[in-house]
Amino acid sequence: MDEIKVGELLLSLSLIFILSGILGYLLSKFRIPNILSALFVGMILSHTPFFEYIHSCVLFEDTFKFLADLGVLFLLFYIGLQIELDEMKKSSSDIVWLTVLNTSIPFFFGLIAMLSYGYGWAISLIIGMTRMPTAEAVIVPILDEFDMIKTRIGTFIIGAGVLDDIIEVVLVGIVSVWIGTKTGQTHGDLSALIIGIAAFIILSWGFYKWLPRITKRWKAQNLSTLMIFSLVVLFGLGGFSEFVELGMVVGAITAGVIMRPMFENEEKRGELLSRTTQTLSYGFFGVIFFFWVGFNADIGKFFEEPLLAVILYLSGALGKLIGVLLMIPMKKIKLKEAIIVGVGLDAMLTTEIIVAQLLYSSKIIDLQLFTALVAASSFTAITVPIIFSILIRYWGKEINNAK
């Protein structure tokens, strides 16, 4: 990248941060999380020449995508630092129930919708599975801004989100293998995915068990050393989880959970590093991540295939909400908690887009279905954070005070 391109890239970043800062200040007057300002800025700039300007240069596009990926890593690493694993274990059975209901109902709705639309069983099953995933990277930072990570709502969303990531891996694996049999090309090996997941679990368990013992004997000389060690764990687990196709989301949260005891042992330095991580996550990388989500969420496609897009959207949104509401008669969650969790878990724009792209590029689904899938996911990526923030704003304190 030459000096002129570097200058243009820096000016582009400056524009994004200026607009996000101004809009964030205005949103704060209405108690809307500042982090959403970057999402709105991305949506606005996607309808200007700036969109073509960024996407016309491969270097710019790749740089923004890489920074957005780092945003996912740092945001969820910080979230992992806030997770109290012992508290989450207390709700483990409820989280499993939530994951089962939160994925099976949307799957069933999506399956029936596609069959009703005239698609075959194979396509309908796969599209039904695309209604299951949750993009917790979009929702969890909003929980943190409202200081609700350690609440029951936070525990439910993060716990179900992590388990849901396993389902996402299986989904991509199934689709890759199926495409391979349909086209005669090899897109992946399901057994390799299972082995990779097992290896990641063993590695993470080893780190979690042995790292605290090692750090009791070894003390970081200064804050920089502690920061470097944290980055080694973060990038190591994030990279390995991505390598085995488990996804960097799981790796980042796991890295935070593993590093939490070390940060606690370091006391003041650990607290300072935690605040530094929070500032870096929300003040830089998180802004780029949410900007990139809004920048690439093509709402225009919603109007190209409105009926099918609405059906796909409702299959996921109503399916997830009903799935959580079914836990009320089981006395595992209360009504307002269920509504907030149900809305939060509807955030998409992750695995289902990858699956849609794989199916469309292999000519297994048509342009109509591909467009509708992208439109439905884009719509949830933009609307869910807004609705979620409003619900927490009005019900959050009431729910917490009721405990």
Side-chain angles (χ1 to χ4, degrees):
M1 190 182 296
D2 58 38
E3 293 180 357
I4 295 177
K5 288 296 183 184
V6 171
E8 291 177 356
L9 177 61
L10 292 176
L11 287 173
S12 298
L13 288 170
S14 177
L15 173 65
I16 292 166
F17 280 97
I18 288 172
L19 294 177
S20 298
I22 294 173
L23 186 56
Y25 173 76
L26 296 175
L27 291 178
S28 66
K29 299 297 183 180
F30 301 94
R31 287 197 62 200
I32 297 175
N34 288 339
I35 199 73
L36 289 183
S37 63
L39 180 73
F40 297 138
V41 168
M43 291 169 57
I44 295 168
L45 291 181
S46 68
H47 295 286
T48 69
F50 190 74
F51 183 83
E52 291 296 330
Y53 173 72
I54 294 297
H55 285 291
S56 63
C57 180
V58 176
L59 286 173
F60 285 1
E61 190 174 33
D62 289 346
T63 299
F64 272 100
K65 188 176 185 307
F66 177 67
L67 290 174
D69 287 341
L70 285 180
V72 174
L73 274 176
F74 277 89
L75 282 169
L76 295 181
F77 175 67
Y78 176 71
I79 298 305
L81 290 173
Q82 310 307 306
I83 294 176
E84 296 180 3
L85 207 57
D86 291 337
E87 289 298 317
M88 188 167 283
K89 286 178 181 177
K90 295 178 182 177
S91 304
S92 58
S93 62
D94 294 343
I95 291 172
V96 171
W97 269 110
L98 174 62
T99 304
V100 171
L101 294 171
N102 173 62
T103 54
S104 59
I105 305 298
F107 165 74
F108 178 73
F109 282 3
L111 171 64
I112 297 301
M114 289 298 98
L115 289 174
S116 301
Y117 232 83
Y119 287 95
W121 275 96
I123 295 280
S124 299
L125 285 168
I126 295 298
I127 300 305
M129 292 179 73
T130 65
R131 303 301 87 202
M132 297 161 63
T134 297
E136 65 268 30
V138 176
I139 289 301
V140 173
I142 299 173
L143 278 172
D144 188 45
E145 287 224 0
F146 282 100
D147 197 25
M148 295 191 70
I149 291 294
K150 298 179 182 179
T151 63
R152 275 169 49 85
I153 290 175
T155 299
F156 277 137
I157 290 178
I158 295 172
V162 170
L163 289 181
D164 176 76
D165 289 331
I166 306 296
I167 297 173
E168 292 183 32
V169 173
V170 175
L171 170 59
V172 174
I174 291 172
V175 171
S176 298
V177 172
W178 184 49
I179 290 175
T181 60
K182 294 279 287 185
T183 63
Q185 300 174 358
T186 302
H187 286 263
D189 185 347
L190 195 56
S191 61
L193 284 175
I194 296 172
I195 293 172
I197 293 173
F200 179 82
I201 292 173
I202 293 170
L203 179 66
S204 300
W205 180 83
F207 266 109
Y208 185 74
K209 285 294 183 182
W210 290 99
L211 194 58
R213 301 180 186 182
I214 295 173
T215 53
K216 282 183 179 179
R217 299 182 179 180
W218 174 79
K219 287 285 184 181
Q221 296 179 349
N222 49 52
L223 191 63
S224 298
T225 304
L226 185 60
M227 182 69 175
I228 291 171
F229 186 77
S230 300
L231 291 176
V232 169
V233 175
L234 172 60
F235 291 149
L237 286 177
F240 185 68
S241 62
E242 189 73 13
F243 178 75
V244 300
E245 299 184 46
L246 188 55
M248 68 174 74
V249 168
V250 176
I253 292 178
T254 303
V257 171
I258 289 172
M259 289 302 299
R260 178 185 169 92
M262 185 175 180
F263 275 46
E264 291 177 339
N265 290 338
E266 291 291 335
E267 297 177 346
K268 290 184 178 180
R269 285 193 300 184
E271 183 180 348
L272 179 59
L273 185 54
S274 180
R275 289 203 301 267
T276 302
T277 303
Q278 181 186 27
T279 302
L280 187 62
S281 300
Y282 288 90
F284 179 66
F285 289 117
V287 173
I288 300 299
F289 168 70
F290 276 91
F291 164 78
W292 197 242
V293 170
F295 197 61
N296 291 283
D298 192 354
I299 290 299
K301 288 188 179 298
F302 200 91
F303 301 99
E304 293 179 16
E305 296 294 341
L307 181 58
L308 185 54
V310 168
I311 290 173
L312 288 169
Y313 167 73
L314 292 177
S315 296
L318 292 180
K320 288 179 178 291
L321 184 59
I322 291 172
V324 183
L325 290 174
L326 287 175
M327 295 182 65
I328 295 177
M330 299 166 65
K331 297 183 178 179
K332 294 182 179 294
I333 196 170
K334 295 183 179 179
L335 177 60
K336 291 183 178 179
E337 286 180 323
I339 294 174
I340 293 176
V341 172
V343 170
L345 290 174
D346 186 40
M348 291 190 179
L349 205 66
T350 50
T351 305
E352 73 283 353
I353 297 296
I354 298 173
V355 170
Q357 184 62 53
L358 284 173
L359 294 172
Y360 179 65
S361 60
S362 300
K363 299 181 179 179
I364 294 176
I365 63 174
D366 54 27
L367 180 61
Q368 179 190 27
L369 181 53
F370 173 73
T371 301
L373 283 167
V374 173
S377 296
S378 299
F379 189 73
T380 60
I382 291 172
T383 57
V384 167
I386 299 171
I387 298 171
F388 186 73
S389 298
I390 293 172
L391 289 175
I392 291 183
R393 175 186 173 184
Y394 286 102
W395 290 348
K397 288 185 178 179
E398 177 186 341
I399 291 172
N400 289 338
N401 293 336
K403 300 304 175 188

